[in-house]
């Protein structure tokens, strides 16, 4: 919990009213973002993202599994978040467990749509190998290393970067297998397919402080919020998920306005994130060539 004096609280709120935040940013400006890919060699894909002083890591592991009987033409994705106790004192013990569960649930809503995968930002159909028989299961594990606000958006960026770094082995299915039996599959050790992230959204959290909304709030700014709306939006401008936190009620018209602002902010974040991911991938390739 951030302990701020009344003067500090008024300074934060007054700055946001004047469109000049305590670190010099405007209301809809992001802190510097840094992306590093391939940070966990044992995974199928991984990335580290720093958003100001907030730092998170995401890794993806692809394993063969069986589709859910209710959705035989789709693969499965699971998202887990762990909050390091060293990231913030409130993460120790039960507080960290509760936040981990809250973040995991929010990421599922923002990226995976409904139970059927309808509206999902991650294309679950692309993970199906043999309908009703074999699919890819993606296990996405995230770690919050340090926290200075806007953790959910940073996790979303790290997942997008990790998925763009994910190589899924090519699979050959035996053609003579009986339709009633589990088909034999041959997983290649040499040929891989790059995971398609063109439809994977970024996560934009709009934090309401006083009469205004801000993006990429710091911990101090979050301590002064009345409510926050999180929207996941992809490059095509499609909304993949929506979630709200904070006790204050919001009029539907206000939420629509916030979604409109989020769409505008998403363009800025997607362009910046894509360029950072491309630079990180190029750097990783150079390191591999040198070694």
């Amino acid at each position: 919990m951030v302990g701020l004096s009344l003067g500090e609280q008024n300074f934060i709120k007054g700055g946001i009213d004047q469109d000049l935040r305590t670190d010099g940013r405007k209301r809809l400006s992001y802190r510097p973002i840094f992306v590093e890919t391939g940070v966990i060699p044992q995974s199928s894909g991984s990335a580290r993202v720093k958003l100001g002083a907030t730092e998170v890591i995401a890794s993806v592991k692809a394993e063969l599994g069986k589709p859910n009987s209710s959705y035989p033409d789709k693969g499965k994705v699971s998202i887990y978040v762990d909050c390091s106790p060293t990231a913030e004192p409130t993460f120790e013990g039960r507080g960290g467990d509760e936040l981990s569960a809250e973040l995991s649930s929010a990421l599922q809503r923002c990226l995976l749509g409904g139970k059927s995968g309808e509206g999902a930002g991650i294309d679950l159909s692309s993970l199906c190998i043999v309908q009703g028989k074999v699919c890819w299961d993606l296990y996405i594990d995230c770690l919050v290393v340090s926290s200075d606000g806007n953790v959910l958006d940073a996790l979303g960026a790290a997942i997008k970067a990790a998925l763009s770094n994910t190589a899924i082995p090519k699979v050959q299915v035996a053609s003579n297998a009986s339709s009633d039996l589990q088909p034999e599959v041959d997983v290649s050790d040499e040929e891989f397919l790059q995971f398609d992230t063109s439809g994977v959204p970024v996560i934009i959290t709009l934090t309401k402080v006083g009469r205004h909304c801000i993006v990429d709030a710091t911990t101090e700014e979050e301590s002064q919020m009345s409510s926050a709306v999180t929207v996941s939006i992809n490059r095509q401008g499609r909304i993949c998920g929506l979630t709200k936190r904070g006790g204050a009620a919001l009029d539907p018209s206000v939420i629509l306005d916030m979604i409109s602002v989020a769409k505008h902010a998403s363009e800025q974040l997607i362009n910046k994130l894509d360029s950072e991911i491309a630079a990180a991938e190029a750097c990783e390739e150079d390191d591999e060539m040198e070694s």
Side-chain angles (χ1 to χ4, degrees):
M1 193 70 183
V2 180
L4 297 175
S5 69
L6 188 59
E8 288 172 319
Q9 293 176 29
N10 289 334
F11 182 68
I12 290 170
K13 292 175 181 174
I16 290 171
D17 280 340
Q18 299 296 321
D19 200 15
L20 182 62
R21 294 156 73 175
T22 52
D23 55 8
R25 288 182 291 150
K26 292 183 176 294
R27 287 192 286 263
L28 299 182
S29 297
Y30 281 84
R31 291 171 289 181
I33 187 168
F34 167 81
V35 177
E36 183 183 2
T37 56
V39 293
I40 304 176
Q42 302 88 345
S43 65
S44 304
S46 60
R48 180 199 313 272
V49 166
K50 294 179 183 177
L51 193 55
T54 294
E55 181 180 347
V56 298
I57 295 172
S59 71
V60 181
K61 192 73 175 173
E63 294 182 1
L64 288 177
K66 187 174 182 179
N68 188 313
S69 57
S70 303
Y71 312 106
D73 60 338
K74 291 180 169 65
K76 303 193 293 290
V77 176
S78 303
I79 302 175
Y80 304 96
V81 178
D82 187 25
C83 297
S84 170
T86 58
E88 194 174 301
T90 54
F91 288 0
E92 290 186 29
R94 191 175 172 185
D97 293 341
E98 289 176 354
L99 183 61
S100 294
E102 182 185 323
L103 289 169
S104 300
S105 176
L107 287 167
Q108 298 264 5
R109 286 197 297 271
C110 288
L111 298 175
L112 302 182
K115 285 186 178 179
S116 66
E118 197 66 37
I122 298 174
D123 182 11
L124 302 181
S125 300
S126 67
L127 299 173
C128 184
I129 299 169
V130 179
Q131 186 166 323
K133 302 285 187 181
V134 187
C135 70
W136 284 111
D137 289 345
L138 296 188
Y139 296 93
I140 302 175
D141 292 292
C142 305
L143 175 67
V144 180
V145 180
S146 64
S147 171
D148 185 27
N150 205 29
V151 171
L152 184 60
D153 296 21
L155 286 168
I159 289 172
K160 185 176 173 71
L163 286 171
S164 76
N165 181 243
T166 296
I168 296 179
K170 278 191 174 181
V171 177
Q172 289 285 100
V173 181
S175 57
N176 58 352
S178 166
S179 59
D180 296 329
L181 299 174
Q182 190 72 6
E184 288 185 22
V185 293
D186 179 32
V187 181
S188 174
D189 291 329
E190 298 176 354
E191 290 187 277
F192 295 86
L193 296 171
Q194 208 66 26
F195 190 83
D196 180 15
T197 58
S198 58
V200 177
V202 291
I203 295 175
I204 310 287
T205 298
L206 284 167
T207 306
K208 198 164 190 296
V209 180
R211 295 181 295 109
H212 299 282
C213 293
I214 57 173
V215 298
D216 190 21
T218 63
T219 301
E220 288 186 348
E221 289 170 335
E222 286 180 344
S223 73
Q224 302 306 303
M225 76 172 196
S226 56
S227 60
V229 169
T230 298
V231 191
S232 54
I233 304 170
N234 65 14
R235 180 170 279 286
Q236 292 74 38
R238 186 168 70 89
I239 294 172
C240 303
L242 180 73
T243 182
K244 175 193 172 292
R245 60 191 168 92
L250 290 173
D251 188 88
S253 63
V254 174
I255 293 178
L256 288 173
D257 287 342
M258 292 172 85
I259 290 172
S260 177
V261 173
K263 279 192 172 184
H264 172 72
S266 71
E267 295 173 10
Q268 174 193 164
L269 181 59
I270 286 170
N271 290 335
K272 180 63 176 168
L273 188 58
D274 283 353
S275 67
E276 284 291 324
I277 290 171
E281 296 282 8
C283 185
E284 189 185 349
E285 285 175 12
D286 289 344
D287 290 344
E288 286 175 0
M289 289 174 68
E290 286 175 9
S291 60

